[in-house]
Amino acid sequence: MKIIAIANQKGGVGKTTTAVNLAACLAEAGRNVLLIDLDPQANASSALGVEATEGRSLHAVLTDEAGSLSLAEQIQPTPIERLHIVTAELDLAGCEIQLAADANRLVRLRHVLDHYRASGPAVEFVVIDCPPSLGVLMTNALAAADSVLVPLQCEYLALEGLAKILEMIERIKQVSGNTALELEGIVLTMYDSRTNLSQQVVSDVRDHLGQKVFDTIIPRSIRLSESPGHGKPIIVYDPVGVGAESYRQLAREFLQRQRQN
Ligand SMILES: Nc1ncnc2c1ncn2[C@@H]1O[C@H](COP(=O)(O)OP(=O)(O)OP(=O)(O)O)[C@@H](O)[C@H]1O
Ligand SMILES: [Mg+2]
């Protein structure tokens, strides 16, 4: 079981779109995947058409002092075969405050996932959709993850943003003791081939991070932005369009990289 956090402290860069569609494409490719929606906005849950139900999220498990609640009880199926989800709810935002006095607050999710992994046949991949804020929830995700995948929007000052997130990953590695955390890679999103800026961002980021940048680039696509509103991943909403093809390509490249490591 490999745990991948999709993270970038910047808002609106394509984290949720990438988490949902990469997870769906991995499931389509025959893998068992668990998507954890760790953002109180619950965008990943609604993008898959799964309603956030009160009491069914990580909130109860993360704040359970007795440690008797398990992740398995919170898992729900999605309309996609082999893809399961732990939805988010607004209550998750309360974790920040509730866990404030807990000495183990940064490694709660790691313990929950360790327990899940040890408790029987688990999934192959756990994909965590992180909130944009740099708080207890995102720290928990990075403390629990084996790797972090960073979506980066092809826009002005992308490199500065990238430097910030890489610095933050290093800092969380130190404070959470998760020194094994790896950078899975950078995924360039919302690429617009008509603009020089997009092309410039791609070449700058590749110059700086080389192999760590996925070859697959996610183009800007209206269909991709419409699909969450219909509660469907892109492979269902527009199965043969460029958005679906680019996320399938990303899943293939992701799997290929797993074999190489
Ligand atoms: N490749 C794309 N083409 C067009 N629109 C996109 C693409 N990727 C994402 N979007 C749209 O951009 C917006 C932000 O994307 P998304 O919600 O995935 O970002 P996020 O990083 O999860 O945001 P937040 O930080 O708020 O959680 C959404 O409206 C989404 O539909
Ligand atoms: Mg999001």
Side-chain angles (χ1 to χ4, degrees):
M1 184 175 103
K2 178 165 182 177
I3 304 163
I4 306 111
I6 314 291
N8 187 334
Q9 76 273 35
K10 186 151 195 276
V13 295
K15 290 182 291 296
T16 301
T17 305
T18 299
V20 165
N21 290 301
L22 175 62
C25 289
L26 288 171
E28 186 185 56
R31 311 306 172 113
N32 283 308
V33 185
L34 174 63
L35 177 65
I36 295 182
D37 187 351
L38 201 58
D39 187 343
Q41 297 177 95
N43 292 338
S45 307
S46 60
L48 280 170
V50 182
E51 235 171 271
T53 333
E54 209 186 313
R56 284 201 104 175
S57 78
L58 264 184
H59 178 259
V61 188
L62 285 180
T63 54
D64 173 33
E65 299 273 327
S68 54
L69 284 174
S70 78
L71 182 71
E73 294 161 46
Q74 308 294 327
I75 297 173
Q76 301 185 54
T78 72
I80 307 288
E81 203 183 342
R82 290 180 292 274
L83 176 60
H84 286 75
I85 188 167
V86 175
T87 56
E89 56 180 339
L90 262 181
D91 270 12
L92 259 181
C95 280
E96 306 270 346
I97 301 157
Q98 272 172 286
L99 291 176
D102 183 340
N104 289 326
R105 67 182 179 281
L106 302 183
V107 289
R108 287 300 274 258
L109 182 58
R110 189 197 298 177
H111 293 159
V112 166
L113 284 166
D114 279 347
H115 185 263
Y116 172 65
R117 194 190 319 237
S119 68
V123 294
E124 192 170 347
F125 297 111
V126 176
V127 175
I128 307 176
D129 183 30
C130 292
S133 60
L134 229 180
V136 166
L137 290 170
M138 200 214 279
T139 309
N140 261 274
L142 295 188
D146 296 303
S147 70
V148 51
L149 188 152
V150 180
L152 191 72
Q153 191 178 339
C154 294
E155 59 170 1
Y156 185 58
L157 294 182
L159 266 189
E160 279 80 350
L162 183 58
K164 262 190 223 151
I165 176 131
L166 296 178
E167 203 182 290
M168 184 208 66
I169 292 169
E170 278 310 311
R171 227 180 314 139
I172 294 183
K173 267 166 88 162
Q174 307 301 326
V175 298
S176 70
N178 186 12
T179 49
L181 180 68
E182 283 181 14
L183 179 62
E184 185 74 46
I186 314 290
V187 177
L188 292 158
T189 65
M190 299 185 227
Y191 177 81
D192 186 343
S193 60
R194 292 164 308 177
T195 70
N196 288 334
L197 176 62
S198 269
Q199 292 168 22
Q200 191 59 50
V201 169
V202 172
S203 78
D204 285 354
V205 173
R206 286 202 198 288
D207 280 350
H208 279 77
L209 280 133
Q211 292 293 81
K212 282 293 171 194
V213 187
F214 279 85
D215 292 336
T216 309
I217 295 176
I218 308 299
R220 187 173 280 285
S221 129
I222 298 205
R223 297 298 221 163
L224 267 176
S225 63
E226 286 170 351
S227 60
H230 297 262
K232 290 174 180 160
I234 195 68
I235 52 169
V236 175
Y237 181 64
D238 183 28
V240 294
V242 289
E245 274 316 318
S246 64
Y247 274 107
R248 281 194 188 100
Q249 178 67 37
L250 181 66
R252 276 195 294 272
E253 189 181 355
F254 172 88
L255 289 171
Q256 208 169 12
R257 284 172 174 238
Q258 306 309 306
R259 286 192 290 271
Q260 283 162 0
N261 292 333

